[in-house]
Amino acid sequence: MKNLGRFVYRAILSSRNNGVLSSKPYNSQFSARGSCMFRRLLSSSSSPCLFDSKSLSYSMHLCQRNYLQGQRRSMFIQTQSTPNPSSLMFYPGKPVMKAGSADFPNARSAMGSPLAKTIFGIDGITRVFFGSDFVTVTKSEDNSWDFLKPQIFAAIMDFYSSEQPLILDSNTAASMDTAIHEDDSETVAMIKELLETRIRPAVQDDGGDIEYVGFDTDTGIVKLRMQGACSGCPSSSVTLKSGIENMLMHYVPEVKGVEQELDAEEEDVALTGAPNE
């Protein structure tokens, strides 16, 4: 109310100083000055306000920017630790993947996702993973979460306010490795069903996922690829052997063991012993 009163008072003074009678119902000069001052109040700008299309466009831009900033401030992002100390789960309070999951083991693989690409633009990020309602980010060992978390928060908030698609190529949007096909054997179908209904939900609770690679009928070995926080986790081998392998061997007698399939970068690390950069 004080701002409105100040606006009316200034408008009256302006009309009097320019020889305009306040009793006149309408004056174009008074109207232009009053509109200008009103726009100045809306934009809260200290620069001179000119009554033209550029100033009006600028005022509209400010209103739009303030609205988007309001959207960003309304987001409440929660974090959750994982068994892997180098990985952290971020819950934006909004759906992330509509179906399946998506893993980005390096910056090159993230070119098809605006959000993953932005997160990889932060120094120290080595992996990004999308789940149903969370984003798991993995960092290098020499970087601190205290430094990285504010930047990741900003990247997630900017993405949701931009309304961009999560994945540009819809063909890679969902992980369909456990989809049962007509040519799958009964054994493979049972393995996929167990992975999808019993094992995958438990792994995703820790910010990761598993990908079915294949089953060797001659050796009885199931090949799986660890994703997200589970990739490179010190306890992933225990999870793979004690948890996943035991369950598959219990329900599917044809399974004799489970082995982890490594990415190209993970194979290089295993051979050289150097951490991911």
Side-chain angles (χ1 to χ4, degrees):
M1 294 298 293
K2 290 183 178 179
N3 290 335
L4 180 60
R6 191 179 296 111
F7 159 66
V8 175
Y9 177 73
R10 290 180 179 176
I12 294 173
L13 287 181
S14 175
S15 64
R16 288 181 178 178
N17 292 336
N18 288 276
V20 180
L21 296 177
S22 59
S23 59
K24 289 188 178 181
Y26 173 80
N27 182 281
S28 60
Q29 188 177 9
F30 171 82
S31 177
R33 290 179 182 271
S35 299
C36 175
M37 296 177 71
F38 181 67
R39 285 197 307 278
R40 289 182 62 181
L41 289 174
L42 288 178
S43 62
S44 299
S45 174
S46 59
S47 59
C49 180
L50 302 178
F51 184 55
D52 55 16
S53 58
K54 290 183 178 179
S55 64
L56 182 59
S57 175
Y58 177 67
S59 298
M60 292 176 64
H61 170 72
L62 285 176
C63 291
Q64 183 180 18
R65 187 183 67 182
N66 291 336
Y67 172 73
L68 292 177
Q69 288 177 345
Q71 281 188 323
R72 289 180 54 183
R73 285 194 296 268
S74 65
M75 287 194 67
F76 180 69
I77 302 175
Q78 293 180 298
T79 61
Q80 180 179 319
S81 59
T82 72
N84 185 356
S86 296
S87 297
L88 196 63
M89 300 172 68
F90 293 81
Y91 288 88
K94 298 175 181 290
V96 180
M97 291 289 293
K98 294 182 178 179
S101 60
D103 187 40
F104 306 95
N106 50 55
R108 185 185 309 168
S109 63
M111 291 297 101
S113 171
L115 177 56
K117 182 179 178 181
T118 302
I119 295 177
F120 267 109
I122 302 171
D123 290 337
I125 303 302
T126 61
R127 198 181 195 107
V128 177
F129 175 81
F130 295 154
S132 59
D133 60 348
F134 64 89
V135 177
T136 300
V137 181
T138 305
K139 67 176 183 65
S140 57
E141 293 182 358
D142 55 347
N143 284 271
S144 171
W145 283 120
D146 293 336
F147 175 74
L148 295 175
K149 281 197 293 187
Q151 301 180 69
I152 299 173
F153 286 150
I156 295 176
M157 288 189 291
D158 285 340
F159 167 75
Y160 277 99
S161 64
S162 69
E163 298 184 354
Q164 296 183 81
L166 182 68
I167 307 235
L168 299 178
D169 184 5
S170 59
N171 293 327
T172 62
S175 177
M176 301 301 294
D177 57 296
T178 53
I180 299 176
H181 305 289
E182 293 182 358
D183 56 346
D184 286 340
S185 65
E186 184 179 353
T187 300
V188 171
M190 291 177 63
I191 293 172
K192 288 183 174 181
E193 184 177 357
L194 280 172
L195 290 174
E196 182 66 28
T197 60
R198 301 289 296 275
I199 299 173
R200 174 165 278 165
V203 175
Q204 288 182 343
D205 285 342
D206 288 332
D209 202 355
I210 52 172
E211 180 184 359
Y212 172 78
V213 178
F215 172 69
D216 191 331
T217 56
D218 296 330
T219 62
I221 299 298
V222 178
K223 291 278 190 177
L224 301 176
R225 184 178 290 114
M226 311 300 284
Q227 297 179 334
C230 296
S231 177
C233 176
S235 60
S236 62
S237 59
V238 178
T239 302
L240 196 69
K241 290 294 182 181
S242 301
I244 300 175
E245 183 179 81
N246 288 345
M247 179 174 289
L248 289 178
M249 291 175 63
H250 176 76
Y251 287 101
V252 187
E254 291 82 358
V255 175
K256 304 303 180 183
V258 174
E259 293 183 0
Q260 181 177 358
E261 187 85 2
L262 299 177
D263 295 328
E265 291 187 357
E266 291 174 334
E267 290 179 353
D268 293 340
V269 172
L271 293 174
T272 62
N276 290 338
E277 296 295 338

